[in-house]
Amino acid sequence: MSAPLRVGAVIITMGNRPDELKALLDSVARQDGGPVETVVVGQGVEVTGLPEGVRTVHLPENLGIPGGRNVGIEAFGRGGRDVDVLLFLDDDGLLERTDTAELCRQAFAEDPELGIISFRIADPDTGATQRRHVPRLRASDPMRSSRVTTFLGGANAVRTKVFAQVGTLPAEFFYAHEETDLAWRALDAGWLIDYRADMVLLHPTTAPSRHAVYHRMVARNRVWLARRNLPVPLVPVYLGVWLGLTLVRRPSAPALKAWFGGFKEGWTTPCGPRRPMRWRTVWRLTRLGRPPVI
């Protein structure tokens, strides 16, 4: 009988949610099965007062969400190789159940092609899951688990072999779409992604636009995502669809100005290495219900 998969957890924080962070760490410590080794990365802040056994990494500045998580990955050895699975959890979230880590071990052990699991995010007061937190186009039933083509950044589990094969998150993105970039690279390498409704992270309902850089980063990184990963004929199609969707949603004038500024920035600044996915992967994404044009 093979040994149980080793599970670690990466949490990034800016130090402004100490009570929520402590509650999250307690929920990780309560997980069934073997212990979950946890690393907390302080983004421009030194984190203190954490439970015994929780490791910390202090960054002198905020590296952004993917940059901070990459530092957390490397805290487990190159590409996270000291463990088999890494959980990535928002610092104001809370694991609802004590069997989430065990469910992850079981899922990855039973399916060697499974690379990433996206958890369901639910409001702690209402239990509701926002539509945007279901990583598929048919999102009306958040209680239905399924194969998907992307995942939620602050509530997921990744097999560390994925990082070894396709690399870590794109640190230059700073915020927005870094998960889809990794998901597309993983899918192109043959890995599968599951959305699991029974693996729940409780998280207060929020709007992504609460971040001041939201509209600029979303637009810039959307262009970078296409430039890095899509076959040339699909780049204008993908970006044209998202331009149309943005206009249909009728954002405010300041938001639209920021969006177009980011869209321009995405074309005029370096986006990192270009590794276009194979057409076979395009077809695979299409069969999974989300062709890479939307």
Side-chain angles (χ1 to χ4, degrees):
M1 182 178 294
S2 59
L5 297 180
R6 300 162 298 168
V7 178
V10 173
I11 302 165
I12 59 174
T13 184
M14 296 181 67
N16 55 348
R17 299 164 176 157
D19 294 338
E20 292 88 343
L21 175 59
K22 183 181 183 306
L24 172 62
L25 292 172
D26 288 345
S27 74
V28 173
R30 288 194 298 268
Q31 292 299 298
D32 302 332
V36 177
E37 184 180 348
T38 305
V39 169
V40 175
V41 179
Q43 296 264 49
V45 63
E46 192 164 352
V47 184
T48 59
L50 300 183
E52 184 178 353
V54 175
R55 289 192 287 152
T56 61
V57 179
H58 167 60
L59 300 179
E61 61 179 319
N62 182 358
L63 298 183
I65 293 174
R69 287 183 177 142
N70 285 346
V71 170
I73 294 169
E74 296 303 310
F76 289 92
R78 185 172 180 82
R81 64 188 177 191
D82 294 344
V83 292
D84 302 299
V85 175
L86 278 175
L87 311 181
F88 295 88
L89 307 169
D90 275 352
D91 67 343
D92 55 346
L94 185 75
L95 290 174
E96 181 183 46
R97 297 165 44 157
T98 62
D99 64 349
T100 301
E102 276 290 88
L103 289 173
C104 286
R105 290 186 183 97
Q106 179 181 350
F108 285 118
E110 291 178 350
D111 188 349
E113 295 183 346
L114 180 62
I116 302 171
I117 299 173
S118 188
F119 299 169
R120 180 168 63 89
I121 294 179
D123 185 271
D125 297 321
T126 67
T129 296
Q130 292 180 273
R131 188 179 182 90
R132 67 185 181 88
H133 284 154
V134 183
R136 59 177 180 245
L137 291 181
R138 295 179 179 177
S140 59
D141 182 9
M143 302 305 295
R144 179 174 65 87
S145 300
S146 69
R147 285 265 144 90
V148 290
T149 62
T150 188
F151 63 100
L152 306 175
N156 67 80
V158 182
R159 192 191 297 267
T160 53
K161 286 182 179 179
V162 173
F163 298 129
Q165 184 172 1
V166 306
T168 54
L169 295 157
E172 56 268 44
F173 278 37
F174 196 84
Y175 165 78
H177 303 318
E178 67 272 6
E179 304 93 349
T180 299
D181 186 90
L182 176 62
W184 283 0
R185 285 182 281 130
L187 289 163
D188 195 49
W191 294 102
L192 300 172
I193 305 172
D194 278 355
Y195 166 73
R196 288 285 295 266
D198 58 336
M199 301 183 189
V200 182
L201 184 81
L202 299 178
H203 188 283
T205 299
T206 56
S209 54
R210 70 190 186 279
H211 299 288
V213 297
Y214 171 76
H215 295 288
R216 180 175 69 86
M217 292 290 191
V218 162
R220 184 198 69 181
N221 292 357
R222 186 77 71 183
V223 178
W224 281 0
L225 182 67
R227 289 175 58 196
R228 287 164 59 99
N229 295 287
L230 290 181
V232 169
L234 293 186
V235 173
V237 180
Y238 177 80
L239 295 176
V241 167
W242 280 105
L243 172 60
L245 287 173
T246 299
L247 295 175
V248 166
R249 290 167 179 168
R250 301 178 65 181
S252 67
L256 194 60
K257 181 179 179 181
W259 194 93
F260 275 108
F263 192 80
K264 178 181 179 182
E265 185 180 349
W267 287 107
T268 58
T269 55
C271 64
R274 173 170 166 76
R275 300 186 182 96
M277 67 177 65
R278 296 166 294 177
W279 285 104
R280 182 171 66 184
T281 304
V282 173
W283 175 237
R284 187 182 186 196
L285 289 164
T286 302
R287 286 190 292 111
L288 286 169
R290 189 156 196 164
V293 293
I294 187 169

